[in-house]
Amino acid sequence: MKRILAQARKELAQVRRDRLVLFLALVLPQILLALFGTALSLTVTDVPIVIQDLDQTALSRAYSDAWRQTLTFRVVELGSDSQPIDALDRGDARAAIIIPENFERDAIRGVPAEIQILVDATDANTANVLRGNAFGVTANFARSQRSGAAPAIRPETRLWYNPGRDSKRFVGPGAFAVMFALFPPLLAALALSREGEQKTILQVYASSISAHEYLIGKTVAFWLVAVAQWMIGVAVLRFMFGIWFVADPTPLLVGTVAYLFCCVAFGVMVGAAIPNQAAAIQLVQIVGFLLSFLLSGLIFPISNIPAALRWIALFVPARYYIELSRDAFVRGAGWPAMWHVPIVLSVIGLVFFAVAWKRMRRMQVSA
Amino acid sequence: MAGSAGDTVIAPGAPTEPPSAPAPAAGGLAIRVRDLRKHYGELEAVRGIDLDVRSGEIFGLIGPDGAGKTSTFQILAGVMPESSGQVSIFGQTPLEARATVGYLTQTFSLYVDLSVAENVRYIGELRRLSLDEIRERGDRYLEMFDMLQFRDRLAGRLSGGMKQKLALVCALIARPQVLLLDEPTTGVDPVSRREFWDALAELSGTGMTIVVATPYLDEAERCSRLALMHEGRLHDTGTPAEVRQRPRLRRIRVRTGNLEAAEHILEGIDGVRDTQRFGDSLDVMVDDTAGGESIASEALAREGVTFTALKPEAPTLENAFVAVLRSIGGEIVVPAFPFDSTRDPVERGAVAIGAYGMRKSFGSFEAVRDVTVEVRHGEVYGLLGANGAGKTTTIKMLCGLLEPTSGDVELTGERGSLRSGAVRSRIGYMSQKFSLYDDLTIIQNLRFFAGVYGVPRDERERRISWVLEASGLEGREQLMTASLPGGWKQRVAFGASLMHAPSVLFLDEPTSGVDPLARRALWKMINAMADRGVAVLVTTHYLEEAEQCNRLGFMAAGEVVAEGSPTEMKAMMRGRLFEIIVDNARVATLALREALGHDRVSQFGDRVHVQSELPVADATSEIRALLDRARVEVLRIEETTFSLEDVFIDVVHRSRDAAVAEAS
């Protein structure tokens, strides 16, 4: 126990001493979190579109006005001699609405009036959103024209949990989780691989401290650093994102203890296996961060991942913590929905730790 | 476990604490190694060594880089498993014995971003000492090494010598019975080196067993016993005196103005076993002194070479090791240089590198003040200095990398534009640390250097093949450079720096860490260049290298404070040096120090060196009287010659005293 504390105290002294590490530990994560929250917006607004009105009637003009009234779209003028497809090609517009001749006549006769909507689908996600919105605009317009006759089924949609569809409420808690998949393991991996690289590990080997004491000491130190990061991160969420706990915070608190352990243990494992700081950084970044970014449901729903790869997501700790933090900050379902998360995270963390221990247990130079 | 280590109170005069566990009897076996082997894949680093280290002795493992010293130490310290063989430390396996072993690794294993006190505390806590013990012992050792005032300084901000002492404090904090020191003095200047060895002598006097690995033969002299390690095997074991006497060769030192001719004449004639050239003398190894003297003097007279002195001297450890290495077939033959050594004809004796009143200030700090140095074509000039003496700054200015604040610098006849292509193409540079790319093959390295130095295309292949021949690597040019042993690598690097036929060579510790034969081979190449008129400037703090220079300049506090040939430098020393062989060198050292002063007395294994300004008879009777009072039996007292290290330390002390006097 004494040696564990000695080890942890030494690590913390080194963190405190090294300004670069201190910056990496406390400031950079918050910058990243802020950047994520502001730059990574999934809300689609102000999309430029062109309308080619070949009908030039009262109804076609009313339909065009319906597009102008949305917040999502911004109608840009189509030059008199250019075709809608040119505007798409040039990138002036992301979608083109073409109202054919006889639009009003068909509508009055009760014949289904047709319009054509061309959507630039280079960015498939945005294209989907645009398509959905375009249907909405057109359906609303059609309903407004046909007053009286009520449709057989009228869906009434309410947006639950995040009624304003504020993407900060979606991205914020997610980025918050991913941040811990990067920085605490990075610090822990650096601290271990540095000892191998600078050969200070020999002095540790020579001292008969056991592998678990050494590793627990390191883990405790960087877990504490991670807790400090977490607390600052919560403050950033509160003041930059305006997000706060919506219900009982205990699932998040308990899950955080497990998640931070899991993240640090991952770094400890990498650092114990690779006595080279540059390589350790790369591994943490690529495996830890990229997987957490892509396979955790931060942006893309896990159900969208091809089934052949989806199982990997089961082992990505950030995926569980994202669920947990979204629940704590947005949904608020609490323990009944989240009871499994701390358990799963602890198990994954213990596996990482066990691998590190297996690697170090002899406390000798491997050759 | 923590308290069970044998107590090692080493502050002189401090009362010895009773050991908490029965201390092993002095002279008993501390370390026993049988048929120890270690291989890394294909590579066999340790090839079956047997070793007995007795309790309380300083045992030296002497060998070049790559001999297997570090592997052996890592096994002894329990940080690496052996491939096969038995190791026992006081009857325990190295793993079990870790608590009783202190290990100072080659890289010192310090945490550079922790303070001195934090480093000591961390290591102490790892070794399960209480905070009181750590503070009390740590302060005592820091005080002993004169470092107490630096407790709060970051370890990374300490000088090389102080880092080494801090590492020693960390290794001592648990009061080990056995102290393992892996090349503890690499990168440490001679003054700190001597202090360090004095401290080791004190520690060993308290019964601690010390095993030290070193590539430097002058350090081997300070061990009680030593073994020569070469390519994973131990070759010669014994006290320094035993090892020196073993080859049964006699050494005759010849002084002459024409070393080149004398070496040429004496090499290979009947009755001469070996010759070795130094900066201002030539050693001839013969079977018996009288016969050898007449053979050598007759041969020189026959060829009309005059000599100023020709007298027998005691063989050195280096002579012994050379004999051992030769007997195992380590001889290296260096072929003659096949092309014109310099692109432009040079006049021997003309100034190649000149600095006149050169100064350099960084802000308010004067790194170099008023240095005047001339190195002539055909001369090997050695620039020596402690760390921080201004050596590196001086060299940078001399080769044009740094602009002096004031003063003139001349390089190959040019002043001013020292970085011009014409000047640079006449300069060669080689450093022990950085020369070749380890991850390229030898031939790739050579082609690269031939290219960057602008060797004419039609000459390239011929010069590359010479370098390969000179380094004994013909047919193996596709080897990765990293896989070469140190000595080979240095010869390749040296050859590479010569490919563009420079007329001025800058060498930075060119032969540190290689075995004596490899060092000789490289110095043969260097001397061959000088004989052709190349000016060679060597910077080093290894005195074995300094002995090879024609002229030396000692730097201290930014100035060249002494200059001359190695012999002239030694002659500058005031007084005489006496070597005393006694039955208890430890007690003798303490007694003599108390009476004569700390700086004048050093312990060298079982012998004591004393510096005295009295006439021989008075000095010996004074020493005898002092030792008689201390109840030490004197076996022999004889006058001996000062080493360059003695001179160096004296010069540094005097310049420090002068600075103090100036300040007050």
Side-chain angles (χ1 to χ4, degrees):
Chain A
M1 191 60 198
K2 237 189 92 182
R3 298 209 277 202
I4 294 174
L5 289 181
Q7 185 68 44
R9 190 179 314 111
K10 180 220 123 199
E11 297 305 326
L12 290 175
Q14 283 185 299
V15 169
R16 204 174 55 228
R17 203 53 53 68
D18 193 333
R19 283 174 198 283
L20 185 75
V21 168
L22 210 56
F23 175 77
L24 206 64
L26 299 180
V27 183
L28 201 58
Q30 318 309 339
I31 292 177
L32 192 81
L33 182 57
L35 212 60
F36 257 113
T38 45
L40 193 85
S41 169
L42 299 177
T43 318
V44 179
T45 53
D46 207 27
V47 179
I49 57 167
V50 289
I51 298 176
Q52 188 180 37
D53 185 356
L54 299 173
D55 195 35
Q56 296 290 352
T57 56
L59 188 67
S60 73
R61 275 191 285 273
Y63 180 59
S64 299
D65 285 341
W67 284 97
R68 289 197 174 86
Q69 280 155 16
T70 64
L71 289 174
T72 314
F73 300 101
R74 173 167 53 88
V75 177
V76 296
E77 285 312 310
L78 182 67
S80 54
D81 54 346
S82 64
Q83 289 298 311
I85 197 76
D86 300 330
L88 290 183
D89 282 348
R90 285 195 302 268
D92 290 346
R94 302 288 297 276
I97 321 297
I98 299 155
I99 307 172
E101 289 170 26
N102 305 328
F103 174 69
E104 190 184 46
R105 192 191 69 194
D106 287 351
I108 291 167
R109 284 186 188 165
V111 178
E114 289 186 334
I115 51 158
Q116 186 179 31
I117 301 175
L118 303 173
V119 177
D120 173 1
T122 315
D123 172 356
N125 246 334
T126 307
N128 255 335
V129 175
L130 292 185
R131 189 172 61 176
N133 273 322
F135 274 125
V137 169
T138 309
N140 274 335
F141 179 73
R143 218 173 20 246
S144 71
Q145 293 304 308
R146 215 175 346 149
S147 49
I153 300 170
R154 214 172 87 108
E156 196 58 56
T157 317
R158 288 271 186 282
L159 296 173
W160 214 238
Y161 303 130
N162 184 5
R165 281 192 306 158
D166 178 2
S167 77
K168 275 186 186 170
R169 300 197 137 243
F170 176 68
V171 175
F176 180 69
V178 169
M179 175 176 108
F180 299 109
L182 179 60
F183 291 98
L186 203 57
L187 293 177
L190 277 177
L192 270 108
S193 60
R194 188 169 49 215
E195 298 230 22
E197 193 172 288
Q198 297 178 349
K199 308 271 183 229
T200 46
I201 192 72
L202 292 177
Q203 203 54 254
V204 177
Y205 288 160
S207 74
S208 79
I209 184 177
S210 60
H212 66 267
E213 288 172 317
Y214 176 73
L215 293 173
I216 292 174
K218 294 250 182 201
T219 308
V220 167
F222 289 100
W223 185 84
L224 288 173
V225 173
V227 168
Q229 283 177 352
W230 185 86
M231 293 198 285
I232 301 175
V234 169
V236 170
L237 282 184
R238 172 78 185 83
F239 295 108
M240 281 201 60
F241 292 75
I243 295 172
W244 194 240
F245 302 107
V246 293
D248 174 21
T250 52
L252 185 72
L253 295 182
V254 174
T256 298
V257 170
Y259 180 59
L260 297 182
F261 162 68
C262 183
C263 291
V264 171
F266 174 69
V268 165
M269 178 182 77
V270 171
I274 305 176
N276 175 320
Q277 295 188 72
I281 290 178
Q282 297 220 349
L283 197 75
V284 169
Q285 278 177 340
I286 289 175
V287 176
F289 185 60
L290 224 54
L291 284 188
S292 304
F293 197 87
L294 295 176
L295 299 181
S296 67
L298 170 67
I299 301 168
F300 321 108
I302 291 171
S303 52
N304 281 8
I305 301 167
L309 294 176
R310 205 176 305 157
W311 60 272
I312 299 176
L314 285 176
F315 303 101
V316 176
R319 165 236 166 110
Y320 300 97
Y321 193 70
I322 285 180
E323 285 176 27
L324 188 61
S325 77
R326 281 188 181 147
D327 186 74
F329 292 115
V330 183
R331 200 160 45 211
W335 280 115
M338 290 295 137
W339 61 271
H340 65 287
V341 170
I343 298 169
V344 174
L345 288 174
S346 303
V347 169
I348 298 177
L350 284 172
V351 169
F352 289 148
F353 189 84
V355 173
W357 179 81
K358 195 164 154 41
R359 175 85 205 169
M360 298 281 298
R361 85 195 140 173
R362 266 189 259 279
M363 291 303 268
Q364 284 190 324
V365 177
S366 54
Chain B
M1 271 317 273
S4 71
D7 265 350
T8 54
V9 180
I10 52 177
T16 309
E17 289 172 28
S20 45
L29 212 52
I31 301 174
R32 184 174 184 277
V33 175
R34 288 293 174 271
D35 197 30
L36 179 68
R37 286 168 194 277
K38 177 73 198 176
H39 44 79
Y40 307 97
E42 294 276 285
L43 179 77
E44 221 180 350
V46 180
R47 311 176 180 200
I49 63 172
D50 294 336
L51 187 66
D52 289 315
V53 179
R54 294 179 205 131
S55 169
E57 71 179 354
I58 301 184
F59 190 92
L61 205 54
I62 320 297
D65 295 348
K69 303 192 298 294
T70 297
S71 296
T72 307
F73 269 60
Q74 292 192 341
I75 294 168
L76 289 179
V79 305
M80 185 169 73
E82 65 273 9
S83 301
S84 69
Q86 288 102 45
V87 181
S88 95
I89 295 171
F90 290 118
Q92 292 177 303
T93 68
L95 211 57
E96 294 161 350
R98 278 186 297 182
T100 58
V101 173
Y103 178 32
L104 194 146
T105 58
Q106 209 170 0
T107 47
F108 298 161
S109 286
L110 295 174
Y111 295 93
V112 289
D113 39 11
L114 294 184
S115 71
V116 168
E118 285 168 334
N119 265 291
V120 172
R121 177 174 173 182
Y122 172 60
I123 297 297
E125 286 182 320
L126 284 192
R127 294 195 172 255
R128 301 197 170 170
L129 303 183
S130 74
L131 277 183
D132 289 340
E133 281 173 311
I134 293 170
R135 197 167 308 124
E136 183 249 330
R137 291 184 201 176
D139 283 359
R140 185 138 47 93
Y141 290 127
L142 288 174
E143 189 176 3
M144 180 177 134
F145 297 134
D146 219 7
M147 282 182 67
L148 206 52
Q149 68 271 37
F150 300 118
R151 288 186 91 242
D152 298 320
R153 187 177 287 193
L154 290 189
R157 300 249 172 89
L158 296 174
S159 71
M162 292 211 288
K163 274 189 189 142
Q164 164 218 42
K165 289 193 231 166
L166 172 57
L168 187 61
V169 172
C170 291
L172 287 173
I173 193 82
R175 290 190 178 154
Q177 289 172 295
V178 175
L179 190 57
L180 303 172
L181 308 170
D182 191 1
E183 300 202 6
T185 57
T186 301
V188 172
D189 66 56
V191 180
S192 314
R193 211 136 57 104
R194 176 159 292 186
E195 286 172 6
F196 185 78
W197 275 93
D198 284 344
L200 292 191
E202 284 184 22
L203 290 170
S204 124
T206 65
M208 190 180 289
T209 308
I210 299 173
V211 186
V212 54
T214 175
Y216 305 111
L217 293 169
D218 48 352
E219 298 194 336
E221 296 276 0
R222 303 198 59 159
C223 301
S224 13
R225 286 199 312 137
L226 55 92
L228 168 65
M229 190 161 196
H230 187 75
E231 292 181 351
R233 292 194 179 87
L234 291 187
H235 289 285
D236 211 349
T237 309
T239 65
E242 284 166 5
V243 171
R244 265 198 304 271
Q245 297 304 328
R246 210 161 279 160
R248 304 192 178 287
L249 287 179
R250 300 287 170 264
R251 181 166 73 115
I252 295 173
R253 176 152 276 201
V254 181
R255 296 183 191 282
T256 164
N258 193 347
L259 290 170
E260 187 186 351
E263 185 183 25
H264 191 70
I265 294 162
L266 294 174
E267 225 171 16
I269 63 169
D270 264 357
V272 171
R273 293 301 191 86
D274 189 16
T275 60
Q276 182 176 9
R277 183 165 154 189
F278 292 94
D280 60 354
S281 61
L282 181 70
D283 274 2
V284 183
M285 303 305 292
V286 293
D287 288 319
D288 73 295
T289 320
E293 262 180 88
S294 62
I295 291 172
S297 57
E298 277 163 26
L300 290 174
R302 204 163 43 237
E303 302 283 336
V305 172
T306 55
F307 50 88
T308 51
L310 194 150
K311 66 169 190 173
E313 284 187 15
T316 61
L317 273 182
E318 171 157 359
N319 297 141
F321 285 167
V322 165
V324 169
L325 292 176
R326 286 198 153 170
S327 70
I328 57 174
E331 189 61 278
I332 302 152
V333 183
V334 177
F337 204 72
F339 41 87
D340 284 341
S341 58
T342 58
R343 202 176 295 182
D344 316 297
V346 290
E347 190 192 331
R348 282 195 76 144
V351 173
I353 308 167
Y356 307 96
M358 186 170 73
R359 289 168 185 278
K360 182 72 197 181
S361 314
F362 298 104
S364 63
F365 173 66
E366 261 197 312
V368 171
R369 28 183 156 178
D370 198 16
V371 163
T372 297
V373 167
E374 277 185 346
V375 183
R376 295 168 190 283
H377 281 292
E379 182 178 45
V380 182
Y381 187 95
L383 196 61
L384 280 78
N387 294 330
K391 244 179 348 173
T392 312
T393 313
T394 303
I395 294 297
K396 279 186 180 162
M397 288 191 285
L398 289 180
C399 63
L401 288 173
L402 197 66
E403 197 73 23
T405 310
S406 68
D408 283 324
V409 181
E410 180 184 339
L411 196 54
T412 67
E414 301 277 336
R415 288 184 187 224
S417 56
L418 299 184
R419 294 308 294 160
S420 74
V423 173
R424 267 189 296 175
S425 73
R426 292 200 288 267
I427 292 174
Y429 175 79
M430 177 204 154
S431 137
Q432 200 256 319
K433 285 164 215 124
F434 173 78
S435 292
L436 301 174
Y437 295 96
D438 266 353
D439 47 0
L440 295 182
T441 63
I442 296 159
I443 189 81
Q444 283 169 337
N445 260 305
L446 292 177
R447 294 218 170 102
F448 170 75
F449 283 108
V452 292
Y453 282 128
V455 175
R457 217 158 261 288
D458 47 332
E459 278 281 309
R460 270 185 208 175
E461 288 310 310
R462 196 160 67 96
R463 296 191 181 186
I464 287 173
S465 68
W466 172 76
V467 176
L468 291 173
E469 191 191 343
S471 40
L473 287 169
E474 291 158 299
R476 287 194 275 174
E477 58 267 25
Q478 299 298 343
L479 281 179
M480 287 307 279
T481 304
S483 68
L484 285 183
W488 299 59
K489 215 190 271 185
Q490 271 170 336
R491 286 195 294 281
V492 177
F494 183 67
S497 72
L498 290 182
M499 276 195 296
H500 61 300
S503 57
V504 174
L505 263 178
F506 290 90
L507 305 176
D508 182 16
E509 293 185 0
T511 57
S512 108
V514 302
D515 70 67
L517 281 182
R519 179 181 304 129
R520 283 173 67 162
L522 193 66
W523 275 103
K524 255 194 173 136
M525 291 164 84
I526 295 171
N527 283 328
M529 298 311 295
D531 292 343
R532 285 158 175 265
V534 174
V536 184
L537 182 76
V538 179
T539 46
T540 182
H541 42 225
Y542 294 106
L543 298 151
E544 285 160 347
E545 292 192 327
E547 290 276 5
Q548 297 280 354
C549 300
N550 305 135
R551 266 194 322 138
L552 295 172
F554 278 11
M555 284 195 78
E559 288 174 283
V560 175
V561 291
E563 201 173 35
S565 73
T567 311
E568 285 165 6
M569 296 295 251
K570 290 173 197 166
M572 281 186 349
M573 288 294 285
R574 294 163 301 178
R576 302 165 205 284
L577 187 67
F578 296 93
E579 183 170 272
I580 308 154
I581 300 173
V582 289
D583 61 346
N584 188 337
R586 171 84 203 129
V587 176
T589 307
L590 290 179
L592 291 170
R593 272 196 181 152
E594 191 157 324
L596 302 174
H598 190 280
D599 290 349
R600 289 166 175 265
V601 184
S602 307
Q603 186 181 343
F604 280 71
D606 55 353
R607 292 148 298 136
V608 184
H609 280 189
V610 179
Q611 194 182 328
S612 169
E613 268 134 55
L614 298 172
V616 182
D618 296 351
T620 46
S621 59
E622 184 190 14
I623 292 166
R624 277 183 192 282
L626 285 168
L627 292 179
D628 207 39
R629 215 177 306 149
R631 297 175 197 285
V632 176
E633 192 188 342
V634 178
L635 303 175
R636 201 164 74 224
I637 297 187
E638 56 190 35
E639 192 182 346
T640 182
T641 48
F642 284 108
S643 70
L644 274 181
E645 187 183 81
D646 295 319
V647 182
F648 187 94
I649 289 164
D650 189 61
V651 163
V652 171
H653 281 158
R654 262 190 286 163
S655 91
R656 256 184 222 161
D657 295 346
V660 170
E662 202 178 299
S664 66

